[in-house]
Amino acid sequence: MTSRVSLVQRLSALGPWLLVLPATAVLLFILIIPVAGTLAESFSNPAGLFANYRDFFADSYNRTVMIRSFRIAFLSTLTALILGFGGAYMIANSSQGLKRVLLILSVFPLLTSVVVRSFSFMAILGRNGVVNTALMKLGLISEPMEMLFTQGAVIAGLAYLFTPLMILSLVGVLENIEDDLYLAAGSLGAAPVAVFFQVTLPLAVPGMIVGSVLVFTGSLATFVTPTLLGGEPQMTLATLLYQKAMISFDWGVANTIAAIMMGTAIFCVVVLGTIAGRISARRAVH
Amino acid sequence: MPHSKSLLRSGALAALFCLPVFSAQAQETFVVSNWGYSNDFYEPFIFEPFEKEHNVRIVTETGGAPERLNKARIRGGVDVILLTDKFSQIGINQGAFETIDSSKLSNFDELYDAAKNPQGDYGPAYTFGRYGIVYDKTRTDTPITSWCDLWRDDFAGAIAMPAFNTTGGPLTVMMAGKCAGSDAFEDPDTAFAKMAELKPNIVKTFSSGSELTNLLSTGEAFIGLAQDYAFPAIQAANPNIGWAELSEGDFRMMNTYNIPKNAKHKELALAFIDFSISMQAQKDAAIELVSGSGPVNKTVELTPEQASQLVYGEKAVLSMQPTPYDKLLEVNDDWERRWNDVFGR
């Protein structure tokens, strides 16, 4: 009897592990093994363990592409943060019914394909697009401005693509700021601007960090938007990776780029995650 | 007993439902790797008759030439692949394709000599085509009559040019060399200096025919360096666009069939190629696809109107500039680095 009970107990203890086993197995086969293989390949050059990386960084064109990719990802994140904060602040301070509508509207772009969204930007920023036509009709410009196939177009496209993620990351954080804090700040004589900068903004930092990680890593990895809105002069790591893997068949360089992109994404998640954790812990202590 | 009866009934029903599944499985699947640009034509005129005749089911794999070649070579699962001669030459150099015994192709002798074995024994060409300049003739008063016109000041921000890793990309470098009075293979410095002068005129470098069509139809560009397979869609989007009559001539293009070494159905692939180069299939392609499908079968007879937009006949093909793919592939890495220095910064 005792042994049967202990067997049942032991099986019950195994229950959670058995439940996560299928998902773990799937992840192992479709994520961990391929990623490990890609990393291993990037170090498998017969000329030396780091030969692929040495060759990659020795080429000034590759360095240009890498710096450009980080600049585009950073500026897209900044743009999405500014736009997303405003949107999230408005949603968090709306009534329940309106909040639901606004949330659905803000995530609506995520329901359409990235290709369609990028093409719609071509219709907006193009020579005969909405912006140029409007500016010309208003008499503000006499000739269409070159907006498409520039770095600005790529940043605008990426910011549009990822602002919904920023909004979703921020709404929850802003909603959780207790009204008492605003009332206390107001009663102590803080002007609305001071309340925003001294209460709202510091308390929203963890959400801003989470959103920024999502947008930055997403912008760095996105392939379609830089291809359609930027073209060759705006080559990024993701488009270079595609070119090396699928067109030049240079898998050594492709694996190296993939490893660099993965390393960057992991670095961002770990460092910014740690900062967010520390801020949350400090807030809890206070 | 009732149990055994119901079991029997269930078994019979299951067998009945499984029958179509088994018979469908009995039918072989034949994989054709194609661009996807002209599958509306291939479906009724090539695939369906071939499927009926050989009791197979054709599955297409679509995409750009380099990706499809890469997939066919590394992953396999493709029985016959349609490529431009640049990419079939890459595949041949990589040892990706079977040699083809042309004596097994009943229609082989009907081909123009230029199409018979353009790259050795790796398969015949199935269309003749060209690479040249198309432009909106209402957007300039002075017609384009030479490749060197691309450098004209009035074409600033007007040109859509193929990216380097396409069939046409490196050909523009050859013409840049010529316009600078040198040979790009002998003196790439001069050719790429000339390419740098072209940069202000380039609105975008494109990687696919559909991207070019989009740029020309939205008015982002009004000059395109194009292969003729994309021309019907371009002209449908903007009827003012026509071919430039170039003093140096267009470049000669050929699309080829190749059988990957790792193909499952090699005999069937031979039969497919044979069927596609037959007089009727070639004539259908020339008429239905409008352009980009200059017939390679010399028994095909077209009316002057049908032939007007095609590279029709061996004489027309041989009068064009040849594309020296062997030489281009030799300098590919150096030119790609130089190209990136000009257009990627």
Side-chain angles (χ1 to χ4, degrees), chain A residues 66-245:
Chain A
M66 193 165 160
I67 292 166
R68 181 190 297 139
S69 305
F70 285 119
R71 187 171 56 231
I72 288 174
F74 174 74
L75 291 173
S76 307
T77 308
L78 195 65
T79 313
L81 184 59
I82 294 166
L83 296 175
F85 200 100
Y89 191 75
M90 194 173 80
I91 292 169
N93 290 302
S94 305
S95 64
Q96 276 304 320
L98 184 61
K99 190 180 289 180
R100 205 168 296 144
V101 174
L102 289 175
L103 264 177
I104 290 169
L105 284 177
S106 65
V107 297
F108 192 73
L110 292 175
L111 304 177
T112 51
S113 142
V114 65
V115 179
V116 174
R117 277 183 279 174
S118 297
F119 268 110
S120 66
F121 251 84
M122 293 173 86
I124 295 167
L125 299 178
R127 210 170 278 197
N128 302 314
V130 178
V131 175
N132 267 323
T133 309
L135 291 175
M136 283 177 77
K137 281 199 172 161
L138 288 169
L140 296 173
I141 52 171
S142 56
E143 286 212 342
M145 290 191 296
E146 297 294 338
M147 290 183 285
L148 211 48
F149 314 128
T150 61
Q151 200 163 108
V154 179
I155 292 166
L158 288 172
Y160 171 67
L161 191 65
F162 290 117
T163 297
L165 289 182
M166 187 66 86
I167 291 175
L168 290 178
S169 307
L170 282 167
V171 165
V173 175
L174 291 173
E175 273 181 335
N176 285 336
I177 300 175
E178 288 170 26
D179 289 342
D180 292 351
L181 290 172
Y182 295 124
L183 290 173
S187 68
L188 291 169
V193 176
V195 172
F196 179 77
F197 281 107
Q198 289 174 19
V199 178
T200 313
L201 206 57
L203 291 175
V205 167
M208 288 159 70
I209 289 177
V210 170
S212 298
V213 169
L214 291 175
V215 177
F216 186 84
T217 50
S219 302
L220 202 61
T222 300
F223 161 74
V224 176
T225 306
T227 306
L228 291 178
L229 298 181
E232 218 168 3
Q234 303 305 330
M235 178 86 72
T236 61
L237 282 174
T239 45
L240 186 64
L241 167 62
Y242 175 82
Q243 196 186 76
K244 294 294 177 191

Side-chain angles (χ1 to χ4, degrees), chain B residues 280-336:
Chain B
Q280 193 56 52
Q282 287 278 304
K283 189 172 182 177
D284 288 341
I287 295 168
E288 297 295 327
L289 287 172
V290 184
S291 79
S293 279
V296 293
N297 189 314
K298 59 189 170 194
T299 65
V300 172
E301 285 184 14
L302 300 173
T303 64
E305 194 193 345
Q306 287 166 342
S308 63
Q309 295 207 56
L310 293 171
V311 179
Y312 178 47
E314 199 160 36
K315 202 175 161 190
V317 174
L318 295 179
S319 67
M320 292 179 169
Q321 299 191 67
T323 41
Y325 287 125
D326 279 338
K327 277 171 87 176
L328 286 170
L329 293 176
E330 269 174 38
V331 298
N332 189 73
D333 290 350
D334 177 49
W335 282 22
E336 185 180 9

Side-chain angles (χ1 to χ4, degrees), chain A residues 60 64 68 127-128 232 242 245, chain B residues 67 157 205 220 339 344-345:
Chain A
S60 68
T64 304
R68 181 190 297 139
R127 210 170 278 197
N128 302 314
E232 218 168 3
Y242 175 82
Chain B
E67 309 152 43
T205 50
E220 288 305 319
W339 180 286
R345 290 189 193 271

Side-chain angles (χ1 to χ4, degrees), chain B residues 18-87:
Chain B
C18 287
L19 207 61
V21 176
F22 286 123
S23 65
Q25 277 176 347
Q27 202 178 35
E28 292 280 357
T29 300
F30 182 72
V31 182
V32 178
S33 175
N34 193 5
W35 282 272
Y37 215 83
S38 45
N39 274 348
D40 286 349
F41 159 76
Y42 275 95
E43 199 58 50
F45 286 95
I46 305 289
F47 295 163
E48 279 178 21
F50 188 78
E51 281 177 329
K52 274 183 196 155
E53 195 180 328
H54 294 272
N55 188 30
V56 289
R57 191 168 65 88
I58 290 181
V59 172
T60 53
E61 182 172 288
T62 55
E67 309 152 43
R68 290 187 297 107
L69 170 61
N70 207 7
K71 281 185 195 167
R73 185 171 63 88
I74 296 165
R75 190 208 56 196
V78 171
D79 293 309
V80 68
I81 184 164
L82 286 71
L83 294 167
T84 59
D85 40 6
K86 173 183 176 177
F87 288 97

Side-chain angles (χ1 to χ4, degrees), chain B residues 135-138 216-217 231-243:
Chain B
Y135 70 109
D136 185 334
K137 298 192 171 181
T138 63
L216 290 170
S217 61
F231 188 65
I234 291 170
Q235 210 182 31
N238 182 351
N240 296 323
I241 290 178
W243 287 96

Side-chain angles (χ1 to χ4, degrees), chain B residues 187-199:
Chain B
D187 182 11
D189 288 345
T190 304
F192 277 94
K194 190 73 178 170
M195 286 302 288
E197 289 172 25
L198 185 61
K199 198 175 172 182

